[in-house]
Amino acid sequence: MGLTSISMAMDEFYAFHSNYTTRLVLHLRDSKNDVVLAASEVVDLLQNEQVQVIIGPQKSSQALFISDLGNKTQVSAISSLTRFFSWREVVLVYEDTAYGRDLIPYLADALVEINTKIPHRSVITLSATDDQVKEELYKLMAMQTRVFIVHMSAPIGARLFSIAKELGMMSEDYAWIMTDGLTNIVDSFDSLVLHSMQGALGVKPYIPSSKKLSEFSVRWKRRYIKEYPNGEPLEPSIFGLWAYDTVWALAMAVEKANGSCRVFKVIQEEKFNGVSGEFHLVDGELKVSTLQVVNIVGRGGRGIGFWTPEHGLRNSLSSINGDLSPVIWPGESTKVPKGWDIPVSGKKLRIGVPLRDGFHDFVKVEIDNVTNAVKVTGFCIDVFEAVVKRLPYAISHEYIPFVDEHGQSAGTYNDLVYQVYLQKYDAAVGDITIRANRSLYVDFTLPYTESGVAMLVPVKESNHRNGWIFLKPLTVDLWLGTMAFFFYTGFVIWAMEHRINTEFRGPPSQQLGTMIYFSFSTLVFAHREKVENILSKLVLIIWLFVVLILTSSYTASLTSIITVQQLQPSITDVQELLKNGDYVGCHNVSFIEDLLKQLHFDKSKIRSVRPEDYVDALTKGSQNGGVSAIIHEIPYIKLFLAQHCKKFTMVGPIYKTAGFGFVFPKGSPLVDDVSKEILNIIEGEEMEEIERKWFGDLKACSIDAKTVNSVNLTFQSFSGLFIITGAASTCALLIFLALFLSKNWQELKNLDSDKTAWQRLMSLWEYYNKKDLNSHTSRRNSVSNEKVCVNANDKNYDSRQESPGVETLRVSGQCDGRANRPEEISCSELTSPNSDAVLEVVPH
């Protein structure tokens, strides 16, 4: 194929450029697919023929001095294919030559970047016999990985696929990807080889269709048949196209260099559109930016998509979404291979399960003494079965109890996990906690239960019947602070309302009662006194907001106390156990004992308690041969509380763990798929149904120790509110006093200055205690026929205080009242001139 393209290029180039003064002369050598012979021929051409340019060889294994052929581009395309089909493991199959080895480091790095594992590398020598190739393929069949990336030259690659077909490895569930070394010349293979490659994928440089290419293909096939009349008809491959364009580029460079030694420099500057597309060398390599993905179907490769550095995989160059056309996989299957399978050496997945001596709702193993039939049930088993049903492929599995020859447990949970590492089991299912030390030699799925270690403790006798429990929501400082602000707010409003609001006047005892009653009635928003001063209204609004927050918080806290104290734990903290020197219990087959030692519990204070003895041990307590608390994982405690909720409760978690998970060997592809389905089950209703089936209601008895200590409200919790209302009240009072002094300054100056300080203070109080008849409230209530009754004997009465339009009636005795528009009134004389009673004004 290469020779036909080269000789054809020579003839057509000089026929088209007959005026050129230079000519290329060919010196042909056949390396016979031998590396050593190829090197010898190169030396002969350079020394004896003194050639200036060598075209070829086709394989880098024959070129000891050849530079990188630019295969890094296809590495990215192959890794994109692997990620597109979600394959997490691949096996590299390549020939043991420089050509085979050169690409592998780049390919391995690209796969690592997308988190694809390479569990095995299969290296096959060019001299390997068919039996040796079969032996290597048998090794691959015994592995679980079913995705193979093949990087080989034509002779050994053709043999590999033929033998793989013979062994049944070109069937459903297998996936094969070829590099361009095979994909480029797949059309040149005979029909038997092509038949063995059906369903494989490959990548190769994309050659855009053009009129020039179509016309070239017709001429090339005509010439090839003429030169090889007995050969099988072929289509020109990418090698044939590149050979043709190379001769044209070389011939033009020689002409431009005029036969000098500048050919190397000139050819690197050449740029033209040849039959293979744009011919342009970048850093000595032919620039290839677009790769085509082909599917070997029928007589050759069928294009299913493209890969470009800018857009990655696409089903067409004009498409913007990353997709591929449908693929026909080995075995004529249209279903994407999952990339792995259980090795043919095992028919079922062997799953180890623990033999428990308690908490059988998690895992229960029953072995028939006669038939030895095994029946495994429990919460963990149901979860695993639900996961398996959701997988997009079927898994045949069997449960194998972890028991010895006597039917007893063969060891601890660590021992069971280690059996998976030793490949005695393919997986382990049960109440197996995800632990860091275990994950060193096995892989865990995501957890399917709640994580953490907690304390199981007895419940205190409830004290919610205590007659003084209503005081508990607020601390002492908050009670005292709230009462102080009640009095202060009431005093401020009384001070601002006293001179203008009759509801805040009267005898001192009545005024004190009104002030206290008004402030406390705001607690239930039942105050009936109407305030008149705008400053009083502002203070009252802010205070009512504070009262609303206080009452709401008090109600919520009291409700929480009454509810929580029904499950008040006897122990709320691990440190309390350590401080008191109490005994604690744990299950002897779990890791909890080691955990307790890490928490500084003395070994003598740790007692092994079986699940069926939990009630008895906790009831007795540390002083009577029992324990004060049992430390265990949360799922076990919740299961226990489902049946003993009234007498015991859970406190915690006190320690973080990852929960229960399923165990698989390191690198198992099942881990990701099972973990994904675990998430789907947890997020749906199926997990709740499984929990209710085995555990009942698990939500009623859980309590966090922090809740017990956080129900009381402190003064600090509302300090911001008290600052706001206190500042508002104080500012309003100061503004009121400033206005009072400025309005009455002249009258206050006329007070007797010769009196003592106490007498002056009392005079000031007497003046302040008078009703402000000039206030807007007095003016609002003054009408033309209103009559006011005053004490005629009052020496301090100033007629100037009389309001216009108001008739003043002077009577013996003391009075303070008004009549609203009676036609005639009489003022009944008081029996005591010093009485504080209000004069009764009645209409005739």
Side-chain angles (χ1 to χ4, degrees):
M1 182 179 293
L3 184 58
T4 298
S5 297
I6 292 174
S7 59
M8 181 178 172
M10 293 273 289
D11 294 343
E12 293 185 350
F13 180 84
Y14 288 115
F16 188 77
H17 300 92
S18 57
N19 60 328
Y20 276 20
T21 59
T22 57
R23 291 291 185 274
L24 295 179
V25 179
L26 290 177
H27 296 267
L28 300 178
R29 294 291 188 274
D30 185 1
S31 63
K32 303 186 185 299
N33 201 31
D34 185 272
V35 176
V36 177
L37 181 58
S40 176
E41 296 290 356
V42 168
V43 174
D44 177 65
L45 289 171
L46 291 174
Q47 293 183 352
N48 299 327
E49 301 294 344
Q50 296 184 350
V51 299
Q52 292 180 291
V53 179
I54 296 178
I55 300 177
Q58 292 182 352
K59 295 192 293 292
S60 60
S61 60
Q62 299 176 8
L64 301 179
F65 51 86
I66 198 167
S67 61
D68 188 353
L69 290 180
N71 287 324
K72 298 177 185 178
T73 303
Q74 66 171 322
V75 162
S76 300
I78 291 174
S79 65
S80 297
L81 278 175
T82 304
R83 180 168 52 189
F84 178 80
F85 292 113
S86 301
W87 292 325
R88 290 179 286 273
E89 286 188 1
V90 299
V91 171
L92 303 181
V93 184
Y94 56 96
E95 64 180 54
D96 190 14
T97 63
Y99 168 74
R101 292 186 296 265
D102 284 348
L103 184 69
I104 298 304
Y106 304 113
L107 185 56
D109 290 344
L111 293 173
V112 169
E113 288 181 3
I114 61 172
N115 296 321
T116 299
K117 299 177 182 178
I118 306 175
H120 182 69
R121 300 186 185 191
S122 180
V123 185
I124 301 176
T125 63
L126 296 179
S127 60
T129 64
D130 288 354
D131 289 338
Q132 290 174 328
V133 175
K134 285 184 179 180
E135 182 181 354
E136 188 63 30
L137 291 178
Y138 277 130
K139 293 180 182 178
L140 301 184
M141 292 176 67
M143 301 174 60
Q144 63 184 10
T145 307
R146 291 292 182 263
V147 181
F148 307 106
I149 298 177
V150 181
H151 179 55
M152 290 181 167
S153 56
I156 188 66
R159 290 172 55 204
L160 175 76
F161 278 99
S162 297
I163 297 174
K165 175 70 174 179
E166 178 184 343
L167 298 180
M169 298 180 68
M170 297 302 297
S171 58
E172 191 174 354
D173 291 333
Y174 283 89
W176 297 81
I177 302 177
M178 302 179 295
T179 61
D180 67 341
L182 287 174
T183 311
N184 284 332
I185 59 174
V186 70
D187 294 332
S188 65
F189 288 137
D190 60 44
S191 57
L192 291 178
V193 175
L194 276 175
H195 181 67
S196 68
M197 301 173 70
Q198 296 295 296
L201 299 181
V203 294
K204 66 177 183 178
Y206 172 62
I207 305 300
S209 300
S210 64
K211 181 179 180 181
K212 180 184 291 187
L213 176 60
S214 299
E215 294 174 348
F216 169 79
S217 297
V218 173
R219 299 195 311 272
W220 188 92
K221 286 187 286 187
R222 187 184 302 120
R223 181 162 183 145
Y224 183 81
I225 294 174
K226 181 179 179 180
E227 294 180 352
Y228 305 97
N230 298 325
E232 189 174 347
L234 295 178
E235 293 287 339
S237 69
I238 186 65
F239 284 122
L241 302 181
W242 282 345
Y244 185 90
D245 287 343
T246 298
V247 172
W248 273 65
L250 179 59
M252 287 188 290
V254 169
E255 179 68 21
K256 292 178 181 179
N258 197 23
S260 68
C261 296
R262 295 177 54 249
V263 175
F264 178 72
K265 180 179 179 181
V266 175
I267 198 172
Q268 293 191 92
E269 299 173 352
E270 289 294 335
K271 187 175 182 180
F272 65 94
N273 287 322
V275 294
S276 63
E278 183 183 38
F279 186 95
H280 182 210
L281 298 179
V282 179
D283 296 330
E285 299 177 0
L286 185 63
K287 182 181 179 181
V288 178
S289 59
T290 302
L291 296 177
Q292 185 178 24
V293 182
V294 298
N295 182 201
I296 309 303
V297 178
R299 189 68 189 91
R302 176 178 63 94
I304 60 171
F306 300 90
W307 181 90
T308 62
E310 297 82 9
H311 304 289
L313 290 175
R314 295 184 295 173
N315 57 8
S316 68
L317 292 177
S318 60
S319 175
I320 59 175
N321 57 8
D323 203 354
L324 294 175
S325 299
V327 178
I328 304 299
W329 299 98
E332 299 184 355
S333 172
T334 58
K335 184 178 68 174
V336 178
K338 60 180 178 290
W340 64 273
D341 199 0
I342 300 174
V344 295
S345 58
K347 295 182 179 180
K348 292 184 177 180
L349 203 66
R350 300 163 300 167
I351 300 177
V353 292
L355 184 66
R356 292 200 56 92
D357 59 352
F359 292 114
H360 292 137
D361 288 324
F362 285 101
V363 180
K364 184 178 182 180
V365 178
E366 297 175 287
I367 304 176
D368 191 290
N369 295 328
V370 179
T371 63
N372 287 329
V374 176
K375 181 181 179 181
V376 182
T377 57
F379 168 77
C380 302
I381 303 302
D382 281 4
V383 173
F384 183 75
E385 291 292 341
V387 168
V388 170
K389 289 180 182 178
R390 285 173 166 265
L391 293 175
Y393 42 82
I395 291 182
S396 179
H397 58 281
E398 61 178 338
Y399 296 108
I400 304 175
F402 183 49
V403 296
D404 56 22
E405 62 274 10
H406 304 293
Q408 302 300 317
S409 177
T412 64
Y413 278 64
N414 284 339
D415 297 329
L416 172 60
V417 171
Y418 195 67
Q419 296 305 308
V420 177
Y421 170 74
L422 297 177
Q423 299 184 356
K424 179 179 179 180
Y425 301 124
D426 299 315
V429 171
D431 49 341
I432 304 172
T433 304
I434 302 172
R435 299 284 293 166
N437 62 327
R438 296 170 180 172
S439 63
L440 295 176
Y441 46 90
V442 295
D443 280 346
F444 283 94
T445 63
L446 290 177
Y448 58 90
T449 62
E450 188 175 355
S451 62
V453 174
M455 295 192 301
L456 178 65
V457 298
V459 173
K460 282 183 181 179
E461 183 179 354
S462 176
N463 63 355
H464 70 277
R465 299 175 184 175
N466 187 337
W468 299 98
I469 194 173
F470 70 91
L471 295 174
K472 191 170 182 180
L474 309 184
T475 56
V476 175
D477 59 341
L478 183 55
W479 276 116
L480 296 177
T482 303
M483 293 183 66
F485 272 89
F486 267 112
F487 286 115
Y488 180 64
T489 304
F491 166 75
V492 171
I493 293 178
W494 171 84
M496 294 185 293
E497 294 290 321
H498 175 67
R499 303 190 76 243
I500 64 174
N501 194 333
T502 57
E503 294 183 350
F504 287 85
R505 300 186 61 81
S509 59
Q510 179 180 341
Q511 294 184 48
L512 179 62
T514 300
M515 180 180 67
I516 297 176
Y517 170 76
F518 176 82
S519 60
F520 279 92
S521 64
T522 58
L523 184 64
V524 290
F525 306 98
H527 52 286
R528 63 181 182 180
E529 292 81 5
K530 182 179 179 181
V531 295
E532 301 289 351
N533 193 306
I534 186 64
L535 294 175
S536 300
K537 294 178 180 180
L538 176 63
V539 171
L540 183 60
I541 290 174
I542 296 176
W543 175 244
L544 289 177
F545 173 74
V546 174
V547 169
L548 175 64
I549 300 298
L550 283 172
T551 54
S552 300
S553 301
Y554 174 86
T555 303
S557 181
L558 181 60
T559 303
S560 175
I561 289 175
I562 294 175
T563 302
V564 169
Q565 286 190 344
Q566 293 176 358
L567 297 174
Q568 183 80 14
S570 57
I571 301 294
T572 61
D573 189 79
V574 172
Q575 298 302 320
E576 187 177 348
L577 293 171
L578 291 170
K579 181 180 178 181
N580 297 336
D582 291 339
Y583 287 94
V584 295
C586 68
H587 200 209
N588 58 355
V589 297
S590 68
F591 65 92
I592 301 297
E593 184 174 352
D594 293 333
L595 172 62
L596 292 175
K597 294 177 182 177
Q598 295 177 19
L599 296 175
H600 308 294
F601 279 93
D602 190 87
K603 187 176 181 179
S604 61
K605 295 295 182 180
I606 303 174
R607 289 176 173 172
S608 178
V609 183
R610 295 167 59 88
E612 56 268 27
D613 298 329
Y614 281 5
V615 173
D616 183 60
L618 288 171
T619 303
K620 288 180 178 179
S622 292
Q623 305 302 323
N624 301 308
V627 295
S628 297
I630 290 177
I631 312 297
H632 216 327
E633 293 176 86
I634 291 177
Y636 299 112
I637 295 179
K638 285 190 171 183
L639 176 57
F640 176 84
L641 290 177
Q643 300 173 348
H644 304 87
C645 182
K646 295 182 178 180
K647 295 183 178 181
F648 306 96
T649 189
M650 181 177 72
V651 177
I654 62 171
Y655 187 81
K656 294 291 185 180
T657 61
F660 296 165
F662 302 130
V663 183
F664 290 94
K666 275 285 187 182
S668 173
L670 272 172
V671 172
D672 290 339
D673 292 340
V674 171
S675 295
K676 178 182 177 182
E677 299 307 330
I678 287 175
L679 290 178
N680 290 332
I681 291 176
I682 292 176
E683 293 173 357
E685 298 180 355
E686 192 168 1
M687 180 62 80
E688 294 182 2
E689 294 175 358
I690 297 174
E691 288 180 345
R692 281 195 297 268
K693 172 184 175 181
W694 292 101
F695 308 143
D697 185 9
L698 298 177
K699 300 179 180 179
C701 298
S702 178
I703 180 172
D704 194 328
K706 296 179 181 178
T707 306
V708 179
N709 299 320
S710 62
V711 291
N712 299 102
L713 303 175
T714 65
F715 184 84
Q716 185 66 27
S717 304
F718 302 95
S719 58
L721 289 174
F722 288 125
I723 290 174
I724 292 174
T725 186
S729 299
T730 302
C731 291
L733 181 61
L734 293 176
I735 293 173
F736 170 78
L737 292 176
L739 294 175
F740 171 75
L741 293 174
S742 64
K743 182 179 179 180
N744 302 280
W745 182 251
Q746 294 297 330
E747 288 79 359
L748 295 175
K749 287 174 58 178
N750 296 331
L751 295 177
D752 297 335
S753 59
D754 56 344
K755 296 181 179 180
T756 63
W758 173 254
Q759 291 174 332
R760 287 198 302 271
L761 181 61
M762 293 303 298
S763 298
L764 179 61
W765 162 248
E766 290 176 358
Y767 184 84
Y768 176 77
N769 194 39
K770 293 179 181 179
K771 183 174 182 179
D772 187 359
L773 298 178
N774 292 322
S775 67
H776 69 284
T777 56
S778 297
R779 291 194 299 270
R780 183 185 63 199
N781 295 325
S782 297
V783 290
S784 60
N785 61 348
E786 183 177 5
K787 299 175 176 61
V788 177
C789 183
V790 300
N791 190 342
N793 299 324
D794 188 357
K795 297 180 180 181
N796 295 324
Y797 176 72
D798 188 352
S799 61
R800 289 176 298 176
Q801 294 180 348
E802 297 179 1
S803 300
V806 178
E807 181 180 354
T808 303
L809 304 179
R810 294 174 177 82
V811 298
S812 299
Q814 184 176 353
C815 66
D816 187 5
R818 70 173 185 270
N820 291 324
R821 303 182 182 179
E823 294 298 330
E824 295 182 64
I825 67 171
S826 65
C827 296
S828 56
E829 184 176 347
L830 299 178
T831 57
S832 175
N834 297 324
S835 172
D836 291 333
V838 179
L839 179 67
E840 180 182 7
V841 181
V842 296
H844 278 286

Short mmCIF file of all heavy atoms in Angstrom, two decimals, residues 504-522:
data_model
loop_
_atom_site.label_atom_id
_atom_site.label_comp_id
_atom_site.label_asym_id
_atom_site.label_seq_id
_atom_site.Cartn_x
_atom_site.Cartn_y
_atom_site.Cartn_z
N PHE A 504 -54.62 57.80 85.99
CA PHE A 504 -53.38 57.64 86.74
C PHE A 504 -53.31 58.64 87.91
O PHE A 504 -52.23 58.96 88.38
CB PHE A 504 -52.17 57.84 85.82
CG PHE A 504 -51.95 56.69 84.87
CD1 PHE A 504 -52.62 56.64 83.66
CD2 PHE A 504 -51.09 55.66 85.20
CE1 PHE A 504 -52.43 55.60 82.79
CE2 PHE A 504 -50.89 54.61 84.32
CZ PHE A 504 -51.56 54.56 83.11
N ARG A 505 -54.46 59.14 88.35
CA ARG A 505 -54.51 60.05 89.48
C ARG A 505 -55.31 59.42 90.60
O ARG A 505 -55.91 58.36 90.46
CB ARG A 505 -55.13 61.39 89.06
CG ARG A 505 -54.36 62.11 87.96
CD ARG A 505 -54.93 63.49 87.70
NE ARG A 505 -54.86 64.35 88.88
CZ ARG A 505 -53.79 65.02 89.27
NH1 ARG A 505 -52.65 64.93 88.58
NH2 ARG A 505 -53.83 65.77 90.35
N GLY A 506 -55.35 60.11 91.71
CA GLY A 506 -56.07 59.61 92.87
C GLY A 506 -55.18 59.55 94.08
O GLY A 506 -54.05 60.06 94.10
N PRO A 507 -55.66 58.90 95.11
CA PRO A 507 -54.85 58.76 96.33
C PRO A 507 -53.56 58.00 96.04
O PRO A 507 -53.50 57.20 95.09
CB PRO A 507 -55.76 57.98 97.27
CG PRO A 507 -57.14 58.18 96.73
CD PRO A 507 -57.01 58.34 95.27
N PRO A 508 -52.52 58.19 96.82
CA PRO A 508 -51.24 57.50 96.58
C PRO A 508 -51.37 56.00 96.49
O PRO A 508 -50.76 55.36 95.63
CB PRO A 508 -50.39 57.93 97.78
CG PRO A 508 -50.96 59.25 98.18
CD PRO A 508 -52.42 59.17 97.92
N SER A 509 -52.16 55.41 97.37
CA SER A 509 -52.30 53.95 97.33
C SER A 509 -52.93 53.50 96.02
O SER A 509 -52.57 52.49 95.43
CB SER A 509 -53.14 53.49 98.52
OG SER A 509 -54.44 54.09 98.49
N GLN A 510 -53.92 54.30 95.56
CA GLN A 510 -54.57 53.95 94.30
C GLN A 510 -53.60 54.12 93.13
O GLN A 510 -53.58 53.29 92.21
CB GLN A 510 -55.81 54.81 94.10
CG GLN A 510 -56.54 54.52 92.78
CD GLN A 510 -57.77 55.37 92.58
OE1 GLN A 510 -58.28 55.93 93.55
NE2 GLN A 510 -58.22 55.48 91.34
N GLN A 511 -52.80 55.17 93.16
CA GLN A 511 -51.84 55.40 92.08
C GLN A 511 -50.79 54.29 92.04
O GLN A 511 -50.40 53.82 90.97
CB GLN A 511 -51.17 56.76 92.27
CG GLN A 511 -52.12 57.92 92.12
CD GLN A 511 -51.40 59.25 92.22
OE1 GLN A 511 -50.37 59.44 91.57
NE2 GLN A 511 -51.93 60.15 93.04
N LEU A 512 -50.33 53.85 93.25
CA LEU A 512 -49.34 52.76 93.28
C LEU A 512 -49.96 51.47 92.72
O LEU A 512 -49.32 50.75 91.94
CB LEU A 512 -48.88 52.54 94.72
CG LEU A 512 -47.86 51.40 94.92
CD1 LEU A 512 -46.58 51.69 94.14
CD2 LEU A 512 -47.55 51.22 96.41
N GLY A 513 -51.20 51.20 93.10
CA GLY A 513 -51.86 50.01 92.57
C GLY A 513 -52.06 50.08 91.08
O GLY A 513 -51.89 49.08 90.36
N THR A 514 -52.45 51.28 90.62
CA THR A 514 -52.64 51.45 89.17
C THR A 514 -51.34 51.22 88.42
O THR A 514 -51.31 50.57 87.36
CB THR A 514 -53.19 52.86 88.88
OG1 THR A 514 -54.44 53.03 89.55
CG2 THR A 514 -53.37 53.06 87.38
N MET A 515 -50.25 51.78 88.96
CA MET A 515 -48.95 51.64 88.29
C MET A 515 -48.56 50.18 88.20
O MET A 515 -48.13 49.69 87.13
CB MET A 515 -47.89 52.43 89.06
CG MET A 515 -46.49 52.34 88.45
SD MET A 515 -45.29 53.31 89.40
CE MET A 515 -45.25 52.34 90.92
N ILE A 516 -48.68 49.42 89.33
CA ILE A 516 -48.29 48.00 89.33
C ILE A 516 -49.22 47.18 88.46
O ILE A 516 -48.81 46.34 87.67
CB ILE A 516 -48.26 47.47 90.77
CG1 ILE A 516 -47.20 48.21 91.59
CG2 ILE A 516 -48.01 45.97 90.78
CD1 ILE A 516 -47.18 47.82 93.06
N TYR A 517 -50.53 47.45 88.60
CA TYR A 517 -51.49 46.68 87.82
C TYR A 517 -51.29 46.91 86.32
O TYR A 517 -51.32 45.97 85.51
CB TYR A 517 -52.90 47.09 88.22
CG TYR A 517 -53.96 46.53 87.29
CD1 TYR A 517 -54.34 45.19 87.37
CD2 TYR A 517 -54.54 47.34 86.30
CE1 TYR A 517 -55.31 44.67 86.50
CE2 TYR A 517 -55.49 46.82 85.43
CZ TYR A 517 -55.87 45.49 85.53
OH TYR A 517 -56.80 44.98 84.67
N PHE A 518 -51.05 48.17 85.96
CA PHE A 518 -50.89 48.48 84.54
C PHE A 518 -49.69 47.75 83.95
O PHE A 518 -49.75 47.15 82.88
CB PHE A 518 -50.73 49.99 84.36
CG PHE A 518 -50.44 50.39 82.92
CD1 PHE A 518 -51.48 50.51 82.02
CD2 PHE A 518 -49.14 50.62 82.49
CE1 PHE A 518 -51.23 50.87 80.69
CE2 PHE A 518 -48.88 50.98 81.18
CZ PHE A 518 -49.93 51.10 80.28
N SER A 519 -48.54 47.79 84.67
CA SER A 519 -47.32 47.19 84.12
C SER A 519 -47.44 45.68 83.98
O SER A 519 -47.05 45.11 82.96
CB SER A 519 -46.12 47.55 85.01
OG SER A 519 -46.32 47.06 86.32
N PHE A 520 -48.05 45.01 85.00
CA PHE A 520 -48.14 43.56 84.93
C PHE A 520 -49.28 43.08 84.03
O PHE A 520 -49.24 41.95 83.55
CB PHE A 520 -48.30 42.97 86.34
CG PHE A 520 -47.00 42.86 87.08
CD1 PHE A 520 -46.55 43.88 87.90
CD2 PHE A 520 -46.20 41.73 86.92
CE1 PHE A 520 -45.35 43.79 88.56
CE2 PHE A 520 -44.99 41.63 87.59
CZ PHE A 520 -44.55 42.65 88.41
N SER A 521 -50.29 43.93 83.84
CA SER A 521 -51.38 43.52 82.94
C SER A 521 -50.91 43.47 81.49
O SER A 521 -51.52 42.79 80.66
CB SER A 521 -52.56 44.50 83.07
OG SER A 521 -52.19 45.80 82.66
N THR A 522 -49.82 44.17 81.18
CA THR A 522 -49.28 44.07 79.82
C THR A 522 -48.75 42.68 79.52
O THR A 522 -48.54 42.32 78.35
CB THR A 522 -48.14 45.09 79.62
OG1 THR A 522 -47.10 44.83 80.59
CG2 THR A 522 -48.63 46.51 79.78
#
